[in-house]
Amino acid sequence: MVLFGGSLPGVVVVVVLSLPLMLARGFQGIPGDFCRNRKPSECCDDRLDDCSVPIMGSLCYCDEFCLTRDSDDRQEDEVLEDDCCPDFREVCLGERPINDGPDQLDLGDCEKDGVKIARGATYQENCNKCTCERGEVSCEQDECMVEKKVIAKVNQGLRQYGWIAGNYSKFWGRKTREGLTLRTGTFNPESQSMQMYPITLHPEVSRIPKHFDPRNEPKWQGRLSDVRDQGWCGSSWAFSTLAVTQDRISIIAKGMKSIQLSPQNLLSCAKLGQQACEGGYIDRAWNYLRRTGVVLEECYRYESGTSGKVPRCLIQRHDFSKLQCEHKYQYKTEPAYRISNKEEDIQWEIMNNGPVQAIMEVHKDLFVYKGGVYSYSGLTGKETAIHSVRIIGWGEAPLLGMEPVKYWLVANSWGSDWGEKGFFRIRRGTNESGIESFIVAVRARLANHVYGAA
């Protein structure tokens, strides 16, 4: 076994083990102290974003989940890929460091951006894998969810774009196609639903305020859903549908706090025309809620966001015996109805009855949104995906001395660590990213045994 190692000023050096024992991929072989210098502790027992260390424009981890396979299960000649820091095994697992070869780098292998890379070694540049082969470094050329140049251009053009961008560790290192598939997951409504006539509201325009945030309304406080994270599962069709449903149940059940319905129930059991983590229709989701209903989250925990898999439905013909909870009740709704794309109609519906559901196009730059009033920057490719979200309010925001820009206040399903605590503001009145093209609402049915309503 031979180790090529060492360091040069300002240079990261990659180390490779001689074949046929094993070719270590990821960050293995890069010299330096990573886990060893973490404070306040070196290693973590759970998967935590902050249990990481910067390395080669990416992040490596010092937790027990960074390994894809236990070392005891490795086979000879097997390629091991992980995102552990180079000194993870030594510091966190107590393994002896490999150091039985000369402390010199074979400079005849590869060089990129002033960094010497050993022949056959691989490393990660954001979402793309790079390999030193035949004296040259070749890298995958896939688009990544997070691009530093996009973040920089958006932040440098605040007057032009009106919002700020930033990096998210949970998106870094992921390919754009992963984000557009697994962080969205809504299909365009079927033609019959698209032809649905919107209801007539006759809004009293004079009573519509410039700003409306129901989180600050005394009569709604405690009744709106918290932002959740759909994880790596294309299930926005389920999350947005249930968020609107539970908000409206809590609003009409005066004095009761918000409930939390089970997206896993909808994913696993609403099979007709739906593709689970690969996407679904919101109109079919509403039909399922009207006819069958779903149980509470405490009865049917969400697990597809981590695994990407959708287990079998635990409820068969109203048999709840496999559920471990107290209130085994399926919450239902009345048929969903459509709101017109007029600002006043959407505002009036929200103000009087609660949040509404919208579908929109997701461009790649939305993944790096940190705050402000979003509109598509035009800095990313044309590839998009359909997403569904919950609009809860609206307002106006100043833009560097210019005329205030109108916005919708929208709850996403990418976790509270994204955007403005899980929310984002998007331009209002211009159908930005198609968000005003298809607006849906519903009247909820109350559960008698929980709320004591007729």
Side-chain angles (χ1 to χ4, degrees), residues 21 43 78 91 106 134 175 177 224 316 321 361 430:
L21 291 180
C43 309
E78 182 179 10
V91 175
D106 183 352
R134 299 177 182 177
K175 299 182 185 296
R177 61 175 176 266
L224 293 184
Q316 301 294 333
S321 60
E361 282 187 318
T430 61

Side-chain angles (χ1 to χ4, degrees), residues 2 6 17-18 30 34 39 55 101-102 122 139 145 148 169 179 183 197 221 336 353 380 395 423 448:
V2 180
L17 305 180
S18 63
I30 301 175
F34 298 88
K39 301 298 180 186
I55 182 172
T122 64
C139 298
M145 287 182 68
K148 290 183 177 179
S169 61
R183 281 288 172 174
Y197 286 105
Q221 284 184 357
N353 298 313
T380 57
F423 293 83
N448 295 346

